[in-house]
Amino acid sequence: MLKSCTALASLHFRRGNLPKAKKILDEALITAREIHSFGHLEELHLLRSEYYERLGICRNALHELKLSHQYRDSLLTDQNESMVYETQIRYERDKKAREIAELNEQNERQIRSRRQVTITSGIVILLTFMILGVLVYALRMKIRSQQTTRRICLLYTSPSPRDSTSSR
């Protein structure tokens, strides 16, 4: 609505209908103030400055021009603050994303390290059981060998029943 009022007021300016243009500008200015539309306020005060300039009332034209510049500066300040705020938010978001990525990487390293320890432990335990198995087997073989050696020794040292019957 304010855009159409501004366009209509500009049209009346071009046609030379200054009272009609002033009336439209005044009504639009009230509405723009009510809704706090700084962009429209800037434009409306600039048009009012042109209106007073055409009438030759330079003091009012200068006042309206200053108001227009104040609203423009206010808009630029708001835009700059918004850009700074958005940049700060983007920076914080990116920083958090980097921290999350770093934590994920650290977590992956810990998981790989645990896996490596688990595998190494499993291999050590398996080798330990294999060595124990070989030792138990060697021990059994040694015992069997000793038992066989004793039997053989007993056979050679003990009198055989044939020997006792033949000597009679």
Side-chain angles (χ1 to χ4, degrees):
M1 177 183 131
L2 290 173
K3 281 249 185 233
S4 57
C5 287
T6 305
L8 190 58
S10 293
L11 179 68
H12 284 293
F13 268 131
R14 283 193 302 269
R15 290 188 176 173
N17 191 353
L18 296 180
K20 186 70 174 173
K22 172 79 162 93
K23 182 180 178 194
I24 292 171
L25 285 175
D26 290 342
E27 290 173 3
L29 193 62
I30 291 169
T31 304
R33 282 183 183 146
E34 286 175 355
I35 63 172
H36 304 287
S37 177
F38 296 127
H40 290 107
L41 285 169
E42 173 202 357
E43 193 174 353
L44 292 169
H45 280 290
L46 185 61
L47 288 173
R48 284 173 56 109
S49 171
E50 291 175 21
Y51 167 78
Y52 286 120
E53 187 179 349
R54 281 193 182 182
L55 291 178
I57 308 173
C58 294
R59 178 179 224 141
N60 288 0
L62 180 61
H63 176 71
E64 293 294 331
L65 185 62
K66 285 181 180 179
L67 286 175
S68 174
H69 285 249
Q70 286 175 353
Y71 281 115
R72 184 182 57 212
D73 291 345
S74 177
L75 275 172
L76 290 175
T77 300
D78 287 348
Q79 288 173 350
N80 287 341
E81 287 175 359
S82 292
M83 286 175 54
V84 167
Y85 181 71
E86 288 173 12
T87 302
Q88 185 178 7
I89 288 175
R90 202 174 313 114
Y91 169 77
E92 291 295 328
R93 185 179 51 228
D94 292 347
K95 182 180 173 185
K96 291 292 181 192
R98 284 190 305 273
E99 287 174 0
I100 289 171
E102 187 177 321
L103 287 173
N104 283 339
E105 187 178 319
Q106 188 178 26
N107 189 30
E108 286 296 321
R109 282 193 305 264
Q110 286 177 349
I111 289 171
R112 281 192 299 266
S113 176
R114 286 182 190 144
R115 228 182 257 143
Q116 208 170 27
V117 167
T118 303
I119 290 170
T120 304
S121 298
I123 291 171
V124 167
I125 289 171
L126 182 63
L127 287 174
T128 303
F129 279 122
M130 287 176 64
I131 290 170
L132 281 175
V134 167
L135 289 174
V136 167
Y137 177 76
L139 182 62
R140 282 189 175 174
M141 294 309 284
K142 183 177 179 183
I143 290 172
R144 231 183 237 166
S145 172
Q146 287 175 349
Q147 287 174 346
T148 306
T149 306
R150 270 192 228 130
R151 282 185 193 148
I152 291 173
C153 282
L154 280 176
L155 283 176
Y156 286 118
T157 56
S158 68
S160 70
R162 288 187 201 160
D163 289 340
S164 57
T165 55
S166 56
S167 55
R168 291 191 195 170

